[in-house]
Amino acid sequence: MITIQNTKLKATFNELGAELASLINLKTGKEIMWEGNPDFWGGISPVLFPIVGALKDEQYIFEGQTYELPRHGFARRRIFTLKESSENEVIFELKSDEESLKIYPFEFSLEIIYTLVEKKLTVSYQVKNLSEKEMHFSLGAHPGFAIDTKNGLNYNDYEIAFSDDEKLEIHPLIDNLISNETQTIELDNKTLSLSYELFSKDALVMTTMKSQELVLRNKQNNHKVIFTFSNFPYFGIWAAKNADFVCLEPWQGIADLENHNQELIVKFGIVKLEKNEDWIADWAVEIE
């Protein structure tokens, strides 16, 4: 485990998946991240690469060949190299290798940079195409934030405020694939109240959300975290059944549409990089 900290925050990371494992508010001692209880969901903040969500039949086709990839890809199951580390910043890197090329035929470098400044943790991603050919990929974040249900509080005391949305257009998931149909959730003054029932049919998947700032807050005590992101056009909100967390998930790419032909190059939301080209995106969480 790798740790960085300043006077406000302490962050801990696992080299497996370069995953953020803990973020502690040093003023209050409060843990911001979900505990990763495997009885509900063993993840905390996995990186989703080189796909987001599920493929139809867990397969895709590229240049006439069929490959298999598990849901959310393989990066979260790989050991990253610790490239650089300082008191307030850490950089992890994952590169393609003989094993990855069997299931994903592109040479790449994926760097994840975690930086602490005052009360904010910023997470930046840089993907570089090291192949001779055009590279196709998706990447998503999946951080789970703890919901405090102790000392008289409950899950329904929490809400998410959106900076620029009056309503949410949701794509339902059907056997882990994206429906072409949409459902509308009307927000109350740009605010979504949390409940266990909200996720009874899986994640809320959005491809047209306008907001790039969300505030997760407790209505009883006004404890909150401010969540911002850039260069992620799609978004998911999810929690496991009856579990005390909520995931705020900025994505570049989504699961296969239910009528997708499995061809990678025409997959909805796929990113295309030319040789030696970079793609950069980030998200941040600020503690209030």
Side-chain angles (χ1 to χ4, degrees):
M1 305 295 280
I2 311 298
T3 297
I4 59 175
Q5 71 177 74
N6 58 19
T7 60
K8 309 291 185 182
L9 294 171
K10 178 181 178 181
T12 303
F13 312 93
N14 194 333
E15 289 176 308
L16 176 62
E19 185 173 13
L20 171 63
S22 172
L23 182 63
I24 296 176
N25 181 339
L26 292 176
K27 180 179 179 180
T28 64
K30 183 179 177 66
E31 174 63 70
I32 306 303
M33 306 307 296
W34 160 244
E35 65 187 32
N37 183 345
D39 290 341
F40 297 95
W41 177 54
I44 299 174
S45 183
V47 57
L48 317 181
F49 176 87
I51 58 167
V52 174
L55 299 171
K56 182 183 282 188
D57 300 325
E58 296 191 340
Q59 296 178 334
Y60 68 93
I61 301 169
F62 180 71
E63 294 184 337
Q65 184 170 342
T66 299
Y67 298 87
E68 293 189 4
L69 275 179
R71 190 179 187 191
H72 295 322
F74 55 75
R76 60 188 177 142
R77 306 299 186 202
R78 297 293 179 89
I79 300 293
F80 280 62
T81 299
L82 179 60
K83 190 173 181 179
E84 295 182 30
S85 181
S86 63
E87 184 178 359
N88 301 130
E89 184 174 84
V90 62
I91 302 175
F92 294 98
E93 183 178 37
L94 180 69
K95 283 190 170 183
S96 51
D97 55 23
E98 185 176 342
E99 184 179 357
S100 71
L101 289 169
K102 293 176 183 177
I103 56 175
Y104 181 66
F106 304 98
E107 296 184 54
F108 67 87
S109 167
L110 166 59
E111 285 190 357
I112 305 179
I113 303 101
Y114 294 96
T115 308
L116 286 178
V117 176
E118 292 293 323
K119 296 186 292 183
K120 179 186 287 189
L121 173 69
T122 300
V123 186
S124 302
Y125 306 90
Q126 180 171 339
V127 178
K128 186 169 185 177
N129 180 11
L130 304 179
S131 298
E132 295 296 321
K133 58 190 173 185
E134 188 178 62
M135 175 181 170
H136 305 265
F137 75 94
S138 291
L139 187 146
H142 199 315
F145 297 98
I147 298 293
D148 188 357
T149 57
K150 300 175 182 177
N151 301 316
L153 299 174
N154 61 65
Y155 201 88
N156 299 67
D157 290 327
Y158 283 80
E159 61 186 12
I160 300 171
F162 295 77
S163 61
D164 296 291
D165 289 278
E166 301 284 350
K167 61 183 179 180
L168 304 178
E169 296 292 338
I170 307 299
H171 290 267
L173 286 166
I174 301 175
D175 295 328
N176 293 325
L177 303 180
I178 303 293
S179 170
N180 291 312
E181 305 297 325
T182 60
Q183 299 171 354
T184 301
I185 296 179
E186 298 289 344
L187 301 180
D188 181 6
N189 193 26
K190 298 183 180 179
T191 301
L192 176 69
S193 295
L194 291 188
S195 66
Y196 292 132
E197 294 75 25
L198 189 62
F199 309 107
S200 62
K201 296 182 180 179
D202 212 323
L204 309 182
V205 176
M206 292 156 281
T207 59
T208 59
M209 192 179 86
K210 302 173 185 176
S211 301
Q212 294 193 56
E213 177 180 299
L214 284 68
V215 180
L216 173 64
R217 62 194 179 201
N218 186 298
K219 292 177 284 188
Q220 301 299 321
N221 56 27
N222 206 35
H223 286 171
K224 62 184 178 182
V225 296
I226 301 169
F227 187 86
T228 55
F229 57 95
S230 63
N231 204 26
F232 286 109
Y234 315 122
F235 206 85
I237 304 176
W238 174 77
K241 184 178 180 181
N242 297 329
D244 293 332
F245 71 88
V246 64
C247 289
L248 304 179
E249 305 181 41
W251 299 332
Q252 173 60 78
I254 60 174
D256 277 352
L257 302 179
E258 57 181 334
N259 61 350
H260 181 46
N261 64 7
Q262 298 181 288
E263 289 283 353
L264 185 66
I265 63 172
V266 294
K267 179 176 168 61
F268 183 84
I270 203 76
V271 182
K272 300 178 182 180
L273 285 184
E274 298 295 334
K275 177 183 176 181
N276 293 325
E277 190 176 8
D278 291 340
W279 174 89
I280 297 172
D282 63 75
W283 61 270
V285 55
E286 184 171 1
I287 310 306
E288 288 287 334

